[in-house]
Amino acid sequence: MPLDNAPEGKRKFNVVGTRPLRPDGIDKVTGRAKFGADASAPGQLVGRILRSPHAHAIIRKIDTSKAEKLPGVKAVITRDDFPDHTGGSGGLYDTLCNVMAREKAFYEGHAVAAVAATSASIARQALKLIKVDYEVLPHVTDVDEAMKPGAPLLHKDMFTDGVDPKPKKPSNIARRFEFGHGDVEAGFKKADIIVERSFKTEAAHQGYIEPHAALASMGPDGSAELWCCTQGHYMVRDVCSQLLGIDIARLRVTQSEIGGGFGGKTTVFIEPVALALARKANRPVKVVMTREEVFKASGPTASTSIDIKIGVTKDGLITAADGVFRYQGGPFQGCSPAEFGAMSAFAQFHLDNVRAVAYDVVCNRPKTISYRAPGAPMANFAVESVIEELAHKLGMEPIDFRIKNAAREGTKSSYGPVYGPIGLGATLEAAKNHPHFKAPLGPNQGRGMAAGFWFNFGGQSCVTLNIPVDGSITVSVGSPDIGGSRAAMCMMVAEEMGIPYDHVRAIIADTSALGYNDVTDGSRTTFATGMACILAARDAIKKLCARAAATWGIPEDAVKWENGYAKPAGPNAGDFAPLSLKEIAEASPGTGGPIAGHHEFSADGAGVSFATHICDVEVDPETGRSSIVRYTVIQDAGKAVHPSYVEGQFQGGAVQGIGWALNEEYIYGKDGRLQNAGFLDYRIPVCSDLPMIDTQILEIPNPGHPYGVRGVGETSIVPPLAAIANAVANATGVRFTQIPLSPPRVLKGIEEAKKAGGRKAA
Amino acid sequence: MIPGAFDYHRPKSVAEAIALLNDLGDDARPIAGGHSLIPMMKMRLASPSHLVDLRGLADLAFIRAEGGEVVIGAMTTQHQVIASADLAARLPLLRETALQIADPQIRYLGTIGGNVANGDPGNDMPAVMMCLDAQYEVQGQGGSRRVAAREFYQGAYFTALEPGELVTAIRIPVPPAGHKAAYEKLKRKIGDYAIAAAAVLLEVSGGKITRASIALTNVGETPLLADAASDLLVGQAPDKALCKKAGQAAAAIAAPASDARGPVAYRRQMAGIMTERALIRALGL
């Protein structure tokens, strides 16, 4: 759908661009909002899951007989209660294997059995009575180790895809991808300076406050209901019904308020288990994860190992860029975001010769799932670190080096498509002109920057808009609101209808009330579901005009809609007093019944998004501790529907990136068990660890949306790792190639550099 | 992350609490703010059958002056320590330390008595109390006694408390006006336990250090009194080189564990740096 008033894109807005309060705000701050664990049902049982203590083991036998006999236990389930309805391969089969282990437990925390009982303590006792006979196997948790010949094999039938000829020996490499264009070897021959480095990043968790929770009930006729916290209840419905072998239409899923998702709630973990327990017990069952389960058995992001090689001419033009991206995604193929990492790695540059090779690797770790711009932050860390180093070698200001090589409209991107209008250059120029960029630095401080990219996504949305007799409006959407999207939906509807924002209320409808809606991911909701809201409003306006036309006895196309009123389209249409939305709604019972608008589609044209971050870090030279002293995010939003919530997305992504860069990591012991499965030792930053994150919204309209909107939720986590690493490098003179930049690691780097007499890499 | 089953008791007086602890025996644990014990119970590192909640003992929440001492009731919260103008004036080291403990939510509930009595090497107040040469008032069935903080800590979670005894108050000799003190704590982020921390107390007269006391947090099974480090300060004119030397002497006694906060050598080195920095700041160098 084209931009309104294109090409200038200078539409005047009344509601869009203002900052009203979100409709869900009061319920959230007063405790009235109902989250995943807040629902209850009559006769409800407590469901709990038994998890593997081993990182890799064959499950020879599971004896549940003692648990079943314990008074108060109403159901015990294992793999035997999940007959395979998936066809035995592919992503859905892997999901089945992940929600309940089959032949093997693939990671510490992998579900192997579950019970439903009348109390939590009986359920816990019952878990202890389940005897699992394991044959413990050697395990591997490091991506480089997993790729070595002779590494413990997770799947005997995994032969790397994407390699010609297909290997004859199985390995832990599920697939090889390659992206790029030109001839990198020829490009490197033209280079005067080449920098080549290897990087490693550890897995991070999305760290949402709310643990996964689900309340399931299933009747003897196979009709089922599920209440859960998720980023996509239609996805939950479709996946669960397929895993359980029931008709999709029999399962009705209602999404609770969500206490954070960040990509981590775009799949199922406990939901099919709760349903299977409810089916077997014939009672409602509630399953709530503990924080330890969230860390061990939900889906963190990938750990990676990355090699980057970039060549430049003396005058700072990149001649070739080459990268190898190894991502482990847990035990199943296609789960690591290696492909997105490789696709996004060089996307911010205009390159004649570029190649990005990715390996999707399996390991004995939890099955990874999306984390905000999945795969991009790690790749960006590696690439933008090398870019900064090249700029220093060239004696060029890093920002000028980036501007010189920046992708622009018409650039063939490193992953294939040719860019339309993009905001990268504008964010770089804005960074260069930002007061932050010129502010003086204190002792032991360094400034770093990085530019990042994310694709953004459109996808399927279905929206219904109802107009009751008082002329207020209910918008039913099927996209869970994880970042203020209900406010944005109301604003766009109010904008179209020409009425005040607070006359519109948006709700998240259950799966039986609307057609399919894709998961809230890919920064798609304000863009795609928002566009569906605009089009549903336009559909309703058409009907409102038709009612007015009938009232006046003139043709429908002789009526126009303006600022909340139906008016005769011109002097020839007749002389009638305008009818307000409220007047038409009031009369609707007698003019044809209820008035509703509707739109369903699959949205194309999600505009790509770029951001530039500037960061000042102070590194304590005696302790190695880094503190963020100033941070600025500059990002293209296309059109900021609600600027405060756009700024919130910018800040939130930056903060999660700061945590990942400085503190957060999955720490595994030699036994393959996670050492820090709690917030005591998995440290996410809090407000007092941080300066105010400054933001600057740029608006380079996306031609694929009537208002120019681009998704904004993900790009903001892409540049922080590199921006911080570059700042630390500039503060210490040491290039760090591994995150997190923990104090011992940084101090070691500083001391080794001192011994070696200057700048080096650590 | 779910504790085992336990019974809950809420006595209204110290005598009742002590009687309960004695009746219930080894399986009972007193609980004050609960910020060490409850996480340990959730991780199943502790599984008491009975919890004796001391929050009903309102008469143990006080801060008062007695002669040359400040006496702080064991149920005084860290927040109350921070908010006390009297403490801020006479013993600013306490306020400074309390402000570095966890975060405000925890400080509203966490008590100074629980902090010193639990024997958790990660707690901040024990080293500060050793540095200040505080005495703990300990009450049991047989009556009350006083134990010096410097004699109190025997191992991780092992203290001089006998079963059934409670720390009811802390007596701190107030250092003379003009004394110098500081607490330097290195942590990964807000709310964390120390990678290493050091408390220092100094008196300076006629350009020479006349009294010095240094204690270290979370670099051993117990808080550590760095005698050798403080001895080499006394009688000397303060300067940065001296502080560095004292820091090195403090690091020499540190025996930290290798954990997520860093390897042994790093944490030992940090004990020295924290000591040096505390001295430099206290002395205004």
Side-chain angles (χ1 to χ4, degrees):
Chain A
M1 147 140 235
L3 186 68
D4 286 357
N5 307 328
E8 326 81 80
K10 292 283 181 225
R11 176 175 168 152
K12 266 194 72 137
F13 293 100
N14 296 314
V15 184
V16 164
T18 63
R19 299 171 185 249
L21 291 178
R22 60 202 291 163
D24 47 313
I26 289 177
D27 280 359
K28 281 180 176 161
V29 298
T30 57
R32 197 169 150 258
K34 279 171 79 181
F35 290 88
D38 291 332
S40 294
Q44 158 188 312
L45 302 171
V46 178
R48 291 195 65 82
I49 296 170
L50 183 69
R51 298 185 178 280
S52 168
H54 306 296
H56 195 192
I58 294 171
I59 302 169
R60 284 196 286 237
K61 195 167 160 255
I62 305 174
D63 179 0
T64 59
S65 55
K66 280 193 179 147
E68 281 160 21
K69 286 188 195 114
L70 184 71
V73 171
K74 301 296 179 188
V76 182
I77 58 168
T78 65
R79 55 194 177 188
D80 295 339
D81 295 276
F82 287 92
D84 179 16
H85 300 288
T86 71
S89 66
L92 198 60
Y93 179 73
D94 291 340
T95 301
L96 178 68
C97 294
N98 193 51
V99 299
M100 191 59 72
R102 298 177 90 77
E103 291 82 15
K104 286 213 262 184
F106 282 111
Y107 55 93
E108 185 216 9
H110 198 163
V112 293
V115 301
T118 50
S119 76
S121 68
I122 294 172
R124 280 199 302 276
Q125 274 179 347
L127 291 188
K128 283 186 199 152
L129 295 173
I130 298 173
K131 293 286 164 262
V132 184
D133 181 9
Y134 291 105
E135 180 187 336
V136 179
L137 301 171
H139 65 270
V140 61
T141 56
D142 177 80
V143 64
D144 290 325
E145 293 297 321
M147 289 177 77
K148 285 183 183 161
L153 273 187
L154 274 74
H155 306 277
K156 288 198 182 100
D157 57 350
M158 182 169 277
F159 302 91
T160 312
D161 279 333
V163 180
D164 193 26
K166 203 174 177 86
K168 292 197 177 66
K169 276 190 176 169
S171 74
N172 293 320
I173 305 168
R175 186 162 174 190
R176 179 186 184 275
F177 301 89
E178 186 172 330
F179 302 94
H181 55 256
D183 180 344
V184 287
E185 307 311 334
F188 283 123
K189 280 194 192 125
K190 285 187 211 151
D192 298 310
I193 304 170
I194 294 174
V195 168
E196 192 170 2
R197 286 214 181 278
S198 297
F199 299 84
K200 277 198 110 157
T201 70
E202 210 7 287
H205 195 273
Q206 299 85 349
Y208 32 81
I209 296 171
E210 186 194 20
H212 300 261
L215 169 63
S217 69
M218 198 159 180
D221 63 347
S223 62
E225 287 185 7
L226 183 68
W227 160 279
C228 61
C229 70
T230 174
Q231 288 175 243
H233 44 316
Y234 293 84
M235 171 277 300
V236 170
R237 177 193 63 176
D238 288 15
V239 173
C240 287
S241 53
Q242 289 177 81
L243 295 184
L244 294 166
I246 59 172
D247 286 349
I248 290 176
R250 285 197 182 245
L251 175 57
R252 179 182 182 187
V253 184
T254 308
Q255 188 247 357
S256 72
E257 285 290 351
I258 184 167
F262 314 109
K265 293 174 181 170
T266 57
T267 185
V268 298
F269 297 108
I270 56 172
E271 296 82 358
V273 177
L275 281 162
L277 283 169
R279 172 158 71 180
K280 196 160 184 180
N282 197 24
R283 297 256 297 264
V285 176
K286 182 152 116 183
V287 180
V288 181
M289 271 194 183
T290 63
R291 181 61 61 185
E292 187 182 0
E293 286 179 292
V294 171
F295 275 108
K296 289 183 177 174
S298 68
T301 189
S303 57
T304 73
S305 162
I306 299 171
D307 303 333
I308 299 295
K309 181 179 175 185
I310 300 177
V312 291
T313 61
K314 288 191 298 285
D315 38 353
L317 208 62
I318 298 177
T319 58
D322 197 6
V324 180
F325 303 85
R326 307 169 197 89
Y327 286 41
Q328 71 74 28
F332 304 108
Q333 62 176 340
C335 294
S336 89
E339 188 181 3
F340 286 160
M343 288 169 77
S344 66
F346 301 109
Q348 64 271 40
F349 301 106
H350 180 95
L351 300 168
D352 291 333
N353 305 297
V354 56
R355 178 173 60 190
V357 172
Y359 293 99
D360 174 26
V361 182
V362 295
C363 266
N364 294 112
R365 293 194 185 211
K367 181 178 189 275
T368 63
I369 188 65
S370 303
Y371 180 15
R372 218 168 184 158
M378 313 79 145
N380 185 269
F381 162 59
V383 170
E384 289 280 315
S385 292
V386 169
I387 289 293
E388 184 89 2
E389 199 174 340
L390 278 167
H392 288 306
K393 287 217 155 104
L394 283 162
M396 239 175 127
E397 278 298 321
I399 191 147
D400 293 330
F401 180 45
R402 286 181 172 89
I403 289 171
K404 183 159 189 169
N405 291 283
R408 48 202 173 257
E409 187 167 0
T411 292
K412 182 178 169 59
S413 69
S414 59
Y415 63 99
V418 174
Y419 290 128
I422 57 172
L424 173 62
T427 67
L428 287 165
E429 292 292 345
K432 196 176 174 180
N433 294 320
H434 197 284
H436 182 174
F437 208 75
K438 297 167 197 124
L441 286 166
N444 301 317
Q445 293 183 355
R447 179 165 297 145
M449 63 169 300
F453 157 88
W454 187 243
F455 309 91
N456 290 335
F457 177 57
Q460 304 174 73
S461 289
C462 180
V463 166
T464 288
L465 179 157
N466 290 301
I467 307 175
V469 287
D470 65 352
S472 62
I473 292 180
T474 314
V475 192
S476 299
V477 300
S479 298
D481 175 358
I482 63 172
S485 61
R486 270 168 294 187
M489 304 299 140
C490 293
M491 291 172 76
M492 287 185 269
V493 169
E495 185 72 49
E496 287 297 318
M497 303 299 295
I499 58 172
Y501 163 78
D502 59 5
H503 287 198
V504 188
R505 271 290 183 272
I507 63 130
I508 315 298
D510 68 61
T511 55
S512 297
L514 283 176
Y516 187 84
N517 284 270
D518 272 322
V519 169
T520 292
D521 69 0
S523 301
R524 73 171 218 92
T525 294
T526 302
F527 166 75
T529 304
M531 196 178 348
C533 285
I534 292 169
L535 296 173
R538 291 181 183 176
D539 183 41
I541 285 170
K542 229 184 198 171
K543 292 168 184 169
L544 288 161
C545 288
R547 299 291 172 96
T551 306
W552 292 329
I554 63 173
E556 285 176 24
D557 58 5
V559 181
K560 63 174 182 179
W561 190 263
E562 223 173 64
N563 297 325
Y565 287 86
K567 295 175 183 170
N572 294 339
D575 185 18
F576 303 102
L579 280 172
S580 70
L581 172 64
K582 192 176 174 194
E583 286 164 331
I584 300 171
E586 247 168 17
S588 64
T591 61
I595 300 171
H598 186 80
H599 198 78
E600 63 212 7
F601 73 158
S602 183
D604 289 324
V608 298
S609 160
F610 289 91
T612 297
H613 290 199
I614 316 167
C615 169
D616 295 353
V617 173
E618 184 170 322
V619 182
D620 185 328
E622 289 181 318
T623 67
R625 191 178 188 280
S626 305
S627 316
I628 309 293
V629 292
R630 187 167 178 184
Y631 202 104
T632 304
V633 178
I634 301 162
Q635 187 175 320
D636 171 21
K639 174 72 197 172
V641 175
H642 192 304
S644 297
Y645 302 154
V646 170
E647 288 159 3
Q649 292 294 326
F650 289 6
Q651 292 168 322
V655 168
Q656 288 188 308
I658 289 169
W660 197 351
L662 294 183
N663 281 306
E664 297 178 36
E665 62 177 321
Y666 264 50
I667 302 170
Y668 280 93
K670 285 204 175 76
D671 55 5
R673 291 178 179 155
L674 184 62
Q675 304 293 298
N676 57 337
F679 283 136
L680 201 59
D681 283 312
Y682 183 95
R683 307 298 314 197
I684 62 173
V686 297
C687 288
S688 27
D689 289 306
L690 300 162
M692 183 63 185
I693 309 291
D694 291 326
T695 57
Q696 187 179 343
I697 300 173
L698 303 184
E699 295 185 327
I700 291 96
N702 167 22
H705 185 280
Y707 300 168
V709 168
R710 296 174 195 266
V712 298
E714 291 171 286
T715 312
S716 52
I717 202 175
V718 180
L721 311 189
I724 292 162
N726 287 337
V728 169
N730 292 333
T732 60
V734 186
R735 167 62 54 189
F736 291 90
T737 55
Q738 197 172 349
I739 56 161
L741 295 162
S742 63
R745 179 173 285 153
V746 171
L747 186 65
K748 194 163 166 246
I750 293 172
E751 288 183 342
E752 281 172 3
K754 228 187 266 169
K755 273 184 215 150
R759 233 168 226 283
K760 71 177 292 280
Chain B
M1 289 300 280
I2 307 231
F6 58 87
D7 286 333
Y8 175 82
H9 309 269
R10 195 177 172 105
K12 292 192 174 60
S13 69
V14 174
E16 192 191 336
I18 287 166
L20 267 170
L21 287 170
N22 281 280
D23 288 351
L24 298 168
D26 281 355
D27 284 346
R29 287 286 302 272
I31 183 163
H35 281 101
S36 287
L37 184 55
I38 288 182
M40 288 183 69
M41 288 168 66
K42 286 168 87 170
M43 291 187 272
R44 299 288 176 121
L45 296 171
S47 308
S49 306
H50 299 272
L51 282 187
V52 177
D53 188 347
L54 307 179
R55 277 181 298 178
L57 313 182
D59 52 343
L60 289 190
F62 61 83
I63 298 168
R64 61 176 171 249
E66 279 183 20
E69 293 180 328
V70 163
V71 188
I72 305 175
M75 290 305 290
T76 307
T77 63
Q78 308 290 0
H79 171 72
Q80 287 164 333
V81 169
I82 291 165
S84 163
D86 189 38
L87 276 186
R90 304 181 71 194
L91 272 169
L93 181 60
L94 285 189
R95 182 170 194 274
E96 183 192 337
T97 304
L99 278 168
Q100 296 189 59
I101 295 173
D103 49 48
Q105 290 96 321
I106 288 175
R107 297 194 292 255
Y108 283 126
L109 280 175
T111 65
I112 196 162
N115 198 287
V116 301
N118 196 36
D120 183 338
N123 286 347
D124 294 286
M125 285 295 181
V128 172
M129 295 306 166
M130 286 173 72
C131 177
L132 292 167
D133 201 12
Q135 302 263 319
Y136 299 156
E137 294 217 8
V138 172
Q139 214 164 312
Q141 234 172 359
S144 62
R145 61 189 179 112
R146 284 189 190 172
V147 183
R150 292 176 182 183
E151 308 292 323
F152 188 76
Y153 300 98
Q154 300 172 346
Y157 305 100
F158 285 95
T159 68
L161 280 183
E162 296 295 334
E165 284 188 327
L166 285 176
V167 170
T168 54
I170 302 162
R171 306 186 80 91
I172 306 166
V174 179
H179 75 272
K180 298 168 190 312
Y183 189 64
E184 279 287 333
K185 179 178 179 181
L186 178 66
K187 49 192 171 181
R188 291 172 296 181
K189 62 177 294 303
I190 297 291
D192 199 9
Y193 293 116
I195 295 170
V200 304
L201 175 70
L202 301 153
E203 286 172 40
V204 180
S205 171
K208 296 266 167 74
I209 297 170
T210 56
R211 177 189 170 194
S213 165
I214 299 169
L216 308 175
T217 295
N218 215 20
V219 286
E221 295 261 291
T222 65
L224 301 173
L225 193 66
D227 281 328
S230 43
D231 286 351
L232 62 84
L233 294 171
V234 176
Q236 305 292 317
D239 64 28
K240 283 190 177 173
L242 183 67
C243 297
K244 191 174 189 70
K245 234 168 98 186
Q248 285 161 349
I253 66 157
S258 176
D259 66 10
R261 284 168 193 83
V264 170
Y266 174 75
R267 296 184 65 188
R268 186 183 293 130
Q269 189 182 346
M270 291 308 104
I273 300 283
M274 291 302 106
T275 303
E276 182 185 345
R277 288 188 179 178
L279 290 169
I280 288 172
R281 183 157 61 81
L283 291 162
L285 294 173

Tab-separated table of all heavy atoms in Angstrom, chain A residues 132 168 200 370 416 479 550 562 679 728 743 753:
chain	number	residue	atom	x	y	z
A	132	VAL	N	13.808	-42.275	35.840
A	132	VAL	CA	14.251	-42.226	34.443
A	132	VAL	C	15.591	-42.932	34.347
A	132	VAL	O	16.517	-42.646	35.105
A	132	VAL	CB	14.396	-40.766	33.964
A	132	VAL	CG1	14.755	-40.738	32.481
A	132	VAL	CG2	13.125	-39.975	34.225
A	168	LYS	N	29.241	-37.170	3.395
A	168	LYS	CA	28.835	-38.559	3.646
A	168	LYS	C	28.831	-38.856	5.129
A	168	LYS	O	28.221	-39.805	5.586
A	168	LYS	CB	29.776	-39.505	2.913
A	168	LYS	CG	29.621	-39.404	1.395
A	168	LYS	CD	30.238	-40.605	0.697
A	168	LYS	CE	30.023	-40.570	-0.805
A	168	LYS	NZ	30.725	-39.453	-1.476
A	200	LYS	N	34.223	-14.002	19.497
A	200	LYS	CA	33.278	-14.934	20.130
A	200	LYS	C	32.272	-14.165	20.978
A	200	LYS	O	32.638	-13.175	21.629
A	200	LYS	CB	34.031	-15.943	21.013
A	200	LYS	CG	34.588	-17.118	20.212
A	200	LYS	CD	34.940	-18.294	21.084
A	200	LYS	CE	33.974	-19.441	20.843
A	200	LYS	NZ	34.503	-20.757	21.196
A	370	SER	N	14.135	-16.595	18.984
A	370	SER	CA	14.501	-15.219	18.644
A	370	SER	C	14.822	-14.380	19.869
A	370	SER	O	14.209	-14.543	20.918
A	370	SER	CB	13.331	-14.541	17.921
A	370	SER	OG	12.989	-15.288	16.792
A	416	GLY	N	21.281	-9.256	-0.923
A	416	GLY	CA	20.569	-9.421	-2.183
A	416	GLY	C	19.762	-8.240	-2.681
A	416	GLY	O	20.102	-7.631	-3.697
A	479	SER	N	-2.727	-9.211	17.357
A	479	SER	CA	-1.287	-9.112	17.603
A	479	SER	C	-1.052	-8.757	19.060
A	479	SER	O	-1.398	-7.658	19.497
A	479	SER	CB	-0.667	-8.012	16.737
A	479	SER	OG	-0.821	-8.317	15.378
A	550	ALA	N	-27.622	7.042	2.120
A	550	ALA	CA	-28.989	6.520	2.138
A	550	ALA	C	-29.915	7.486	2.859
A	550	ALA	O	-31.062	7.704	2.444
A	550	ALA	CB	-29.002	5.148	2.806
A	562	GLU	N	-14.771	13.567	6.453
A	562	GLU	CA	-13.803	14.600	6.818
A	562	GLU	C	-13.890	14.890	8.306
A	562	GLU	O	-14.973	15.215	8.807
A	562	GLU	CB	-14.135	15.884	6.037
A	562	GLU	CG	-12.920	16.580	5.470
A	562	GLU	CD	-13.358	17.740	4.572
A	562	GLU	OE1	-13.976	18.687	5.113
A	562	GLU	OE2	-13.131	17.675	3.362
A	679	PHE	N	18.726	-14.695	38.382
A	679	PHE	CA	19.150	-13.293	38.239
A	679	PHE	C	20.219	-12.893	39.258
A	679	PHE	O	20.806	-11.827	39.148
A	679	PHE	CB	17.949	-12.354	38.341
A	679	PHE	CG	17.122	-12.315	37.091
A	679	PHE	CD1	15.736	-12.364	37.140
A	679	PHE	CD2	17.726	-12.219	35.851
A	679	PHE	CE1	14.973	-12.319	35.983
A	679	PHE	CE2	16.977	-12.186	34.679
A	679	PHE	CZ	15.590	-12.237	34.752
A	728	VAL	N	35.346	0.827	24.552
A	728	VAL	CA	36.335	0.240	25.470
A	728	VAL	C	37.704	0.199	24.783
A	728	VAL	O	38.735	0.504	25.394
A	728	VAL	CB	35.879	-1.171	25.933
A	728	VAL	CG1	36.998	-1.897	26.670
A	728	VAL	CG2	34.647	-1.056	26.833
A	743	PRO	N	34.939	-7.489	34.002
A	743	PRO	CA	36.125	-6.819	34.562
A	743	PRO	C	37.398	-7.664	34.507
A	743	PRO	O	38.437	-7.143	34.091
A	743	PRO	CB	35.687	-6.489	35.997
A	743	PRO	CG	34.197	-6.353	35.928
A	743	PRO	CD	33.770	-7.360	34.890
A	753	ALA	N	48.531	-5.818	27.422
A	753	ALA	CA	48.937	-4.788	26.463
A	753	ALA	C	50.067	-3.946	27.046
A	753	ALA	O	50.993	-3.540	26.341
A	753	ALA	CB	47.739	-3.909	26.114
